[in-house]
Amino acid sequence: MTSPSGNSETPLKKSKVEEIKEASSGLYGTIPDEIGAEHVCFSETSIQVLKHHGTYQQDNRDLRSERRKAGLDKDYRMMVRTKTPGGLMTAEGYLACDDLASKYGQDDLRITSRQGFQFHGVLKGNLRALIKDLNTFAQMHTKGACGDVVRNVTCSNVVDIDPAYAKLGADLFALSTKISDHFLPQSRSYYDLWLDDEKVSIDADGNVSYKAKHAAKPEDEPIYKQAYLPRKFKIGVATDFDNSIDVYTNDLGVIACTKDGKITGYEILIGGGLGHSHSKQDTYARLGSAIANVAESEIIPVIEAVVGVQRDFGNREQRHQARMKYTIDGMGLEAFREKVQEYYGKPLPAATGIAPSAQPDYLGWHKEITPGLNYVGIWVENGRIRDFADGIKFRTGLRKIIETYKPSVRLTAHHNIVLSGIGDADVDAVKAIMAEYGLPTQDSISPLRRMEMACPALPLCGLALAEAEREMPRLLKQVEDLGHGDADVIIRMTGCPNNCARPASAEIGIIGRGPNKYNVYVGGNRTGTRLNTLVKDTITVEDLPATLGKLLGDWKAEREDGEAFGDWAHRVGYEELTARLA
Ligand code: SF4
């Protein structure tokens, strides 16, 4: 017997996670029994279901051995992720998140590479209170922010304010929200578990209790059915002049195609995904392939057809083969497209093959479409909104601006932040606050740092093989000290090949291989349409600066007029660069 994805050697036994999802009765699972239990952590069964409610269980890995020696449990903490399509929120929403980070988190907020917030360091006993308060005070939810469903829908985040979008004739934020809402799980479990005080209560001592059992029969999930999707499903919306969200890295990408600034159609890409495993040779990074160009009214029906095909034909036996990219490559792109057409019920209009021309980051000050208003893009080191003891006071500075001037807030897919709606008369005052707290734009950081990204990795991510966010600032400083601070290069680092900060589509990608060991990849381009290639395997953290220095030095010596680093690397060739680094 063959599996739906065409692998004749794969036995048709569903993975454990599939069994858990199916038996969860609409994403309740064992959470009702454990939510109020005194134990400091959730069971494996609950952990798998909790993801669909937007939360992961983690533990502080820095403390593992010390606590083991002392005979203590791991230092368990929950991570909670918001679902904010396009990263758009009100000033009030931002301020509520900032308050909740102190009340329940570790005194910081993490902007994700998919335009959400992550709260880290949340105790199990505070989980329900945080999710409830997020919904109540920040008007934000976490439903489907993790898990095997459609995740946060990303969107170029100045679509309603930047003059480049003035003639567009469509609201891409509204489109992103519509897509996000359409694919939310329908089960009442999110409401019952986290919001309904009739069912769950917290007493004066903070003890949580689940008072009512959920309905025996959950509501239908018309899109997902009983077991949801085989794996996570990422969707992003870009335009042909703005690929700031890295649209090709999504399971499904939408590119608004323009002529004279006005939208003429929407290119649909499928099968992007960068995560892979160092040890599993049948895993790989893949960029999306264009399959159709449709009108706005057809976007959701087409996405529903693609999601349906992935739901029914994706691999549910081996999770490492469950992302849609493997379903597509297993079936063949054309066969997959035909199946989508069948689910869609009519022929798909042909793709145009259009590709985005730029990947802007919107740092610095810009005029808005509305006369008299301005927006500013602020660089946030690795997305961590925190007051660093000897460094930038991101948290206090941002809070002061947002409290005083009430701008709308937009999280970017480069884990930076855009504040908009600032009147001409307030620009100087906002600049003064930025200077007081050290909040940078592109003018106050080196070009090397401008497009950098690093994932959270250690100490809390259970999958991290090596440091990322904590190592990146030191690495960049060392490369700057080698004389390469002026290198305008897209550089990204992750602690494992899951690629949360998308190193595989960067000009320079650094991926954790093991403790203090990394692989180096080069050759992505400035528009996000080319993957990079491995040129140095298993290098120690101590050797990283010299390796990057050698590459950047060779580029500067050999580049043609205006040739970007990634294009130079691609031209010189990966074998040649590997040999040079040997
Ligand atoms: Fe964790 Fe890996 Fe994602 Fe980094 S890339 S946050 S190490 S899963």
Side-chain angles (χ1 to χ4, degrees):
M1 244 175 155
T2 58
S3 78
S5 52
N7 184 344
S8 60
E9 290 174 13
T10 306
L12 274 175
K13 177 157 174 21
K14 284 182 187 155
S15 70
K16 183 84 188 140
V17 176
E18 287 300 317
E19 287 171 10
I20 291 171
K21 284 186 290 180
E22 235 176 273
S24 73
S25 292
L27 303 175
Y28 290 91
T30 45
I31 301 171
D33 304 323
E34 297 178 23
I35 194 171
E38 277 183 19
H39 199 53
V40 290
C41 64
F42 287 99
S43 67
E44 185 56 32
T45 304
S46 283
I47 289 168
Q48 293 304 334
V49 180
L50 279 163
K51 290 177 184 173
H52 300 76
H53 296 272
T55 178
Y56 275 83
Q57 183 164 287
Q58 306 181 320
D59 74 281
N60 189 332
R61 294 171 60 183
D62 285 350
L63 303 178
R64 268 188 196 173
S65 97
E66 184 188 311
R67 290 178 71 91
R68 191 171 44 236
K69 280 185 205 143
L72 297 169
D73 270 326
K74 288 177 182 169
D75 183 33
Y76 288 106
R77 302 287 159 145
M78 304 304 294
M79 181 279 282
V80 176
R81 187 182 292 159
T82 64
K83 207 168 180 189
T84 42
L88 180 65
M89 64 188 70
T90 61
E92 290 73 20
Y94 177 93
L95 294 170
C97 287
D98 186 68
D99 290 339
L100 296 174
S102 293
K103 196 169 176 191
Y104 303 119
Q106 56 176 29
D107 267 332
D108 66 13
L109 289 164
R110 191 24 157 103
I111 305 172
T112 76
S113 55
R114 293 193 62 77
Q115 300 178 299
F117 269 143
Q118 282 183 184
F119 294 79
H120 290 124
V122 180
L123 290 168
K124 176 181 173 246
N126 287 332
L127 179 62
R128 207 260 176 184
L130 172 56
I131 295 178
K132 172 101 193 273
D133 284 0
L134 265 173
N135 280 270
T136 308
F137 301 117
Q139 304 283 301
M140 276 179 215
H141 71 82
T142 62
K143 192 177 182 179
C146 321
D148 296 341
V149 289
V150 169
R151 300 285 188 90
N152 194 35
V153 177
T154 57
C155 178
S156 308
N157 68 351
V158 293
V159 294
D160 55 340
I161 51 173
D162 191 272
Y165 285 88
K167 290 193 276 177
L168 217 56
D171 182 347
L172 296 184
F173 268 140
L175 173 65
S176 308
T177 304
K178 201 168 146 193
I179 295 170
S180 179
D181 290 350
H182 187 83
F183 291 97
L184 284 173
Q186 296 298 300
S187 163
R188 278 182 58 88
S189 55
Y190 188 84
Y191 180 75
D192 284 354
L193 289 166
W194 313 111
L195 307 181
D196 185 355
D197 287 337
E198 294 291 308
K199 293 212 169 87
V200 178
S201 66
I202 307 176
D203 69 19
D205 295 330
N207 300 313
V208 181
S209 55
Y210 191 85
K211 292 189 286 194
K213 286 290 170 197
H214 54 81
K217 188 176 174 306
E219 291 92 329
D220 282 344
E221 290 283 5
I223 294 174
Y224 294 125
K225 312 293 183 200
Q226 199 181 347
Y228 298 84
L229 296 179
R231 274 298 254 129
K232 60 183 149 189
F233 196 98
K234 297 178 178 176
I235 298 179
V237 178
T239 66
D240 56 7
F241 57 88
D242 180 354
N243 189 23
S244 53
I245 59 141
D246 240 345
V247 68
Y248 289 83
T249 65
N250 288 270
D251 292 270
L252 190 141
V254 179
I255 302 177
C257 308
T258 59
K259 186 156 187 269
D260 301 327
K262 201 165 176 55
I263 293 178
T264 54
Y266 294 84
E267 192 90 335
I268 305 291
L269 316 169
I270 58 167
L274 303 182
H276 58 278
S277 157
H278 290 307
S279 58
K280 293 189 169 71
Q281 295 309 308
D282 57 348
T283 65
Y284 46 85
R286 186 188 192 282
L287 294 180
S289 313
I291 58 157
N293 194 286
V294 301
E296 183 174 348
S297 59
E298 295 305 296
I299 294 173
I300 287 182
V302 170
I303 298 177
E304 205 170 308
V306 174
V307 166
V309 174
Q310 164 64 358
R311 175 198 63 214
D312 295 345
F313 292 87
N315 190 321
R316 292 186 185 264
E317 299 88 47
Q318 298 167 295
R319 279 186 72 75
H320 78 277
Q321 284 287 300
R323 285 292 291 276
M324 191 169 73
K325 59 185 173 180
Y326 302 118
T327 318
I328 292 169
D329 290 344
M331 288 172 79
L333 181 62
E334 214 25 62
F336 190 98
R337 186 179 186 276
E338 274 170 29
K339 196 50 90 178
V340 171
Q341 235 166 208
E342 190 184 313
Y343 277 51
Y344 177 51
K346 50 187 169 178
L348 286 167
T352 63
I354 195 156
S357 55
Q359 190 177 182
D361 60 10
Y362 297 109
L363 292 184
W365 285 91
H366 307 263
K367 290 283 175 199
E368 295 188 14
I369 296 168
T370 306
L373 293 183
N374 306 270
Y375 75 86
V376 60
I378 295 172
W379 180 83
V380 181
E381 188 169 44
N382 300 318
R384 189 65 73 177
I385 301 179
R386 173 187 290 169
D387 286 348
F388 289 90
D390 299 317
I392 301 168
K393 309 294 183 232
F394 286 106
R395 193 158 176 230
T396 308
L398 283 169
R399 184 169 183 104
K400 190 161 177 183
I401 296 170
I402 295 167
E403 251 175 359
T404 312
Y405 298 99
K406 299 284 190 299
S408 81
V409 178
R410 295 129 193 275
L411 311 180
T412 83
H414 285 107
H415 56 39
N416 295 320
I417 196 163
V418 167
L419 306 178
S420 69
I422 300 168
D424 285 343
D426 295 326
V427 167
D428 286 343
V430 172
K431 281 182 179 169
I433 298 174
M434 288 170 62
E436 183 183 351
Y437 294 95
L439 304 182
T441 63
Q442 79 285 2
D443 295 332
S444 36
I445 49 169
S446 69
L448 181 69
R449 288 173 191 254
R450 179 171 182 158
M451 298 287 272
E452 67 91 25
M453 287 211 283
C455 74
L458 293 166
L460 286 169
C461 176
L463 299 174
L465 304 170
E467 297 279 356
E469 179 188 313
R470 296 195 297 195
E471 182 57 38
M472 188 65 142
R474 185 167 41 223
L475 172 63
L476 294 179
K477 172 77 173 61
Q478 289 167 317
V479 178
E480 283 169 347
D481 289 346
L482 291 172
H484 297 301
D486 61 347
D488 182 9
V489 170
I490 300 174
I491 179 168
R492 299 174 185 160
M493 181 184 223
T494 54
C496 86
N498 255 359
N499 260 281
C500 294
R502 302 190 296 274
S505 60
E507 291 183 285
I508 300 177
I510 303 165
I511 297 183
R513 192 82 172 84
N516 293 327
K517 296 212 169 51
Y518 297 87
N519 283 358
V520 177
Y521 306 74
V522 297
N525 63 12
R526 304 285 298 183
T527 53
T529 59
R530 186 173 63 223
L531 292 174
N532 53 28
T533 299
L534 180 68
V535 290
K536 189 75 185 171
D537 194 355
T538 320
I539 185 176
T540 64
V541 69
E542 290 78 18
D543 286 337
L544 267 177
T547 300
L548 299 189
K550 162 81 178 148
L551 287 165
L552 293 170
D554 284 5
W555 163 56
K556 287 177 179 175
E558 299 171 12
R559 64 185 160 187
E560 291 169 357
D561 227 13
E563 190 175 33
F565 175 85
D567 293 337
W568 164 82
H570 190 66
R571 175 172 62 79
V572 170
Y574 305 107
E575 272 184 38
E576 164 70 17
L577 293 177
T578 303
R580 289 188 195 182
L581 295 175

